[in-house]
Amino acid sequence: MKCPFCSFEGTRNATHGHLADEHGEAVRAWAEEESGRLYYAVKCPLCRVEIKRHLKPRWSDPAFITEFWPEIKLVAFDQLLHHYAWTHSTERGGKPPDEHA
Ligand SMILES: [Zn+2]
Ligand SMILES: [Zn+2]
């Protein structure tokens, strides 16, 4: 599938790896001050929808954002590819994305 950010095109896995390598700046992760809960978000470059998710409970320590940043990027870009495939591509598959934007 095509990279949502540039002209790169490859298998879903190749595009997924390419996103993490080349477009990591599209992902952000933070701890919410009141709750201490961790979130990550990735912005779709085409429709500007921000896909925001709560990080898994085992990632409840803000230090994990640094430690697991490569994993967080992969998880976030997986959501983005799902959104992209469903919303912006004819290569649809699976369930529609569950967006909170
Ligand atoms: Zn790209
Ligand atoms: Zn989009």
Side-chain angles (χ1 to χ4, degrees):
M1 67 195 298
K2 198 190 156 304
C3 172
F5 295 88
C6 69
S7 57
F8 179 93
E9 200 161 352
T11 62
R12 192 186 195 280
N13 276 345
T15 304
H16 195 193
H18 160 85
L19 283 165
D21 289 342
E22 304 293 331
H23 303 294
E25 74 284 347
V27 181
R28 61 196 182 93
W30 69 97
E32 223 168 54
E33 271 183 42
E34 319 88 74
S35 60
R37 290 179 128 202
L38 300 185
Y39 290 90
Y40 66 84
V42 57
K43 204 168 206 171
C44 173
L46 296 165
C47 65
R48 301 286 158 193
V49 157
E50 190 171 60
I51 303 159
K52 179 182 166 186
R53 291 282 189 280
H54 182 208
L55 276 177
K56 289 172 187 169
R58 68 188 171 94
W59 291 342
S60 57
D61 181 340
F64 281 16
I65 288 179
T66 317
E67 195 175 335
F68 288 98
W69 184 233
E71 282 87 348
I72 294 169
K73 275 196 302 185
L74 285 173
V75 170
F77 281 131
D78 192 55
Q79 299 290 333
L80 177 64
L81 281 179
H82 192 61
H83 161 85
Y84 181 78
W86 188 261
T87 312
H88 305 296
S89 160
T90 51
E91 304 170 47
R92 292 187 181 181
K95 294 180 292 178
D98 160 35
E99 273 152 30
H100 307 280

